[in-house]
Amino acid sequence: MQNTSWYIIRLIMTTQSITLTRPDDWHLHLRDGEILNSVAPFTAKQFQRAIVMPNLKPAVTTVKQAVEYVDRVLAAVEGTDFEPLMTLYLTDNTSADEIRAAHKSCFIKAVKLYPAGATTNSDEGVTNIRKCDAALEEMQRAGLPLLVHGEVTDPGIDVFDREKVFIDRVLMPLTNRFPGLKIVFEHITTSDAADFVLDMGARVGATVTVHHLMYNRNAMFEGGMRPHHYCLPVLKRERHREALLHAVGSGNPKFFLGTDSAPHAKNLKESSCGCAGIFTAHAAIELYATVFEAIGALDKLEAFASFYGPDFYGLPRNTGTITLEKKEQRIPESYPMAGEQLVPLMAGQTIPWTLKA
Ligand code: NCD
Ligand code: ZN
């Protein structure tokens, strides 16, 4: 008898599940061509919408290019109700007219600032933010958010300090010069960035990736070089990771979900000059659930994943739901991607949550 009731209690404890309003991904790399076709379904399976990054080669700098790109994205997710939210890539030459056209288009939801040379495919990025004043002025007027890759590229600055120095040299002056500009500080990695966002008014928000919540910089050197833990901004010290956990665990609406899932072929990551980017779209929401559960904040997951992003962007919250089950899933060693292999985060390992089909 005693055994039976214990069995029932265990069963209840082990069949936990959580249902959330369908989430959105506010920072995603889908690439183009065959890679796009391979990776887009992972996101469409979990998320209703995603802010699609424009760092293609060549970059998506015009509304015309964005129109063509969104068609290819929609083709890659045909048969689903996934909605791509497109972005323009800011350059030294982006005109106020292009911004006006972007705003009118309705499907372009933001403009992305890559400091030239800061990260993957950023060669066409901004060399000096003062060159973008006309575009920024127009974005401020239109309420079109500026999404910021917040790192200086000055080779004299330590790689681990690039985000902090960017705040002092670029972001603080920018927020002062454009007091009404909406800004998303993308993929924040430091306590400095979290504090900066908290100090600003409601027009400044931030995305937080799951890998910056899961790992500190030791993960790049565990028993040898770990190229699949290399991304930009690079992983930081443990105290910074703790600050990010505190930010998302506090339930503050300024911090919302943005995976920065960035697919790269295995051979390009495992090379003498491996490229930056971590792929998490295969199990993004399950990985976030794992993190939120570990810090005792599962009750904060839904707002972080499904409410604060649309609220910031002034878009409606989704109405559908997804369900996560407390059921282990094993992450494959790799996925096929355009004739190459794609190594996902936690390849070959097991995670405790699974998205219910
Ligand atoms: C991204 C990519 O691969 O496009 N890489 C990365 O390390 N995050 C670019 C970016 O968001 O910086
Ligand atoms: Zn990114």
Side-chain angles (χ1 to χ4, degrees), residues 27 29 31 55 114 119-120 149 187 231-232 260 262 264 276-277:
H27 184 129
H29 298 271
R31 315 297 190 210
N55 63 331
Y114 288 103
T119 186
T120 307
H149 183 110
H187 41 52
C231 64
L232 287 169
D260 194 18
H264 291 275

Side-chain angles (χ1 to χ4, degrees), residues 10-243:
R10 269 191 40 201
L11 198 68
I12 293 167
M13 283 168 62
T14 52
T15 48
Q16 266 172 278
S17 75
I18 45 171
T19 296
L20 312 171
T21 300
R22 186 120 178 252
D24 304 301
D25 184 350
W26 300 94
H27 184 129
L28 175 68
H29 298 271
L30 285 176
R31 315 297 190 210
D32 210 343
E34 275 189 68
I35 298 183
L36 164 65
N37 294 331
S38 307
V39 301
F42 287 110
T43 294
K45 197 178 66 186
Q46 306 209 321
F47 296 101
Q48 179 79 58
R49 299 171 288 194
I51 283 276
V52 180
M53 288 295 137
N55 63 331
L56 305 183
K57 271 183 150 173
V60 181
T61 58
T62 65
V63 175
K64 183 173 179 291
Q65 287 170 303
V67 169
E68 291 160 3
Y69 185 33
V70 79
D71 277 346
R72 299 194 294 274
V73 173
L74 287 169
V77 294
E78 218 191 309
T80 73
D81 60 355
F82 175 73
E83 186 189 348
L85 309 173
M86 307 308 286
T87 57
L88 281 195
Y89 184 112
L90 188 68
T91 74
D92 291 353
N93 305 314
T94 306
S95 67
D97 279 347
E98 200 68 52
I99 298 297
R100 266 188 291 276
H103 182 233
K104 264 204 211 142
S105 79
C106 286
F107 71 96
I108 297 172
K109 297 297 183 195
V111 178
K112 180 72 189 277
L113 162 63
Y114 288 103
T119 186
T120 307
N121 299 350
S122 62
D123 306 347
E124 297 170 67
V126 171
T127 61
N128 179 347
I129 192 69
R130 300 303 290 236
K131 296 190 172 173
C132 303
D133 279 5
L136 294 169
E137 195 73 57
E138 191 54 41
M139 288 166 59
Q140 180 170 252
R141 198 172 3 248
L144 202 59
L146 178 73
L147 314 183
V148 176
H149 183 110
E151 289 192 287
V152 292
T153 56
D154 180 345
I157 301 295
D158 190 287
V159 169
F160 294 96
D161 296 333
R162 288 186 180 178
E163 188 172 86
K164 177 172 171 26
V165 174
F166 183 88
I167 295 169
D168 302 337
R169 287 192 190 168
V170 184
L171 205 48
M172 191 62 102
L174 182 73
T175 52
N176 290 335
R177 287 198 301 121
F178 295 96
L181 182 65
K182 281 174 104 168
I183 296 174
V184 183
F185 199 163
E186 298 289 335
H187 41 52
I188 59 166
T189 62
T190 57
S191 62
D192 311 278
D195 289 345
F196 173 83
V197 171
L198 285 171
D199 285 347
M200 292 287 130
R203 54 126 179 179
V204 178
T207 53
V208 187
T209 78
V210 76
H211 46 277
H212 289 108
L213 292 171
M214 289 172 69
Y215 300 106
N216 63 36
R217 63 191 193 179
N218 285 359
M220 286 185 297
F221 309 107
E222 228 182 317
M225 296 288 284
R226 299 284 180 175
H228 298 290
H229 286 157
Y230 174 56
C231 64
L232 287 169
V234 76
L235 298 172
K236 302 295 193 303
R237 285 179 178 277
E238 179 62 7
R239 74 175 174 84
H240 292 296
R241 186 180 79 96
E242 284 164 2

Side-chain angles (χ1 to χ4, degrees), residues 188-328:
I188 59 166
T189 62
T190 57
S191 62
D192 311 278
D195 289 345
F196 173 83
V197 171
L198 285 171
D199 285 347
M200 292 287 130
R203 54 126 179 179
V204 178
T207 53
V208 187
T209 78
V210 76
H211 46 277
H212 289 108
L213 292 171
M214 289 172 69
Y215 300 106
N216 63 36
R217 63 191 193 179
N218 285 359
M220 286 185 297
F221 309 107
E222 228 182 317
M225 296 288 284
R226 299 284 180 175
H228 298 290
H229 286 157
Y230 174 56
C231 64
L232 287 169
V234 76
L235 298 172
K236 302 295 193 303
R237 285 179 178 277
E238 179 62 7
R239 74 175 174 84
H240 292 296
R241 186 180 79 96
E242 284 164 2
L244 300 183
L245 287 170
H246 181 75
V248 302
S250 70
N252 189 303
K254 286 170 154 274
F255 303 98
F256 43 89
L257 187 156
T259 62
D260 194 18
S261 180
H264 291 275
K266 182 172 190 263
N267 63 312
L268 297 178
K269 296 276 305 167
E270 298 176 6
S271 113
S272 62
C273 185
C275 47
I278 295 179
F279 184 76
T280 51
H282 59 296
I285 195 67
E286 297 98 311
L287 290 167
Y288 279 108
T290 305
V291 168
F292 275 70
E293 183 180 38
I295 60 169
L298 256 188
D299 59 324
K300 303 288 194 311
L301 177 64
E302 181 180 41
F304 171 79
S306 316
F307 298 162
Y308 300 153
D311 294 354
F312 182 88
Y313 275 81
L315 294 169
R317 295 177 180 178
N318 297 323
T319 50
T321 59
I322 59 163
T323 297
L324 298 175
E325 292 176 299
K326 195 70 183 286
K327 194 172 98 186
E328 288 193 340

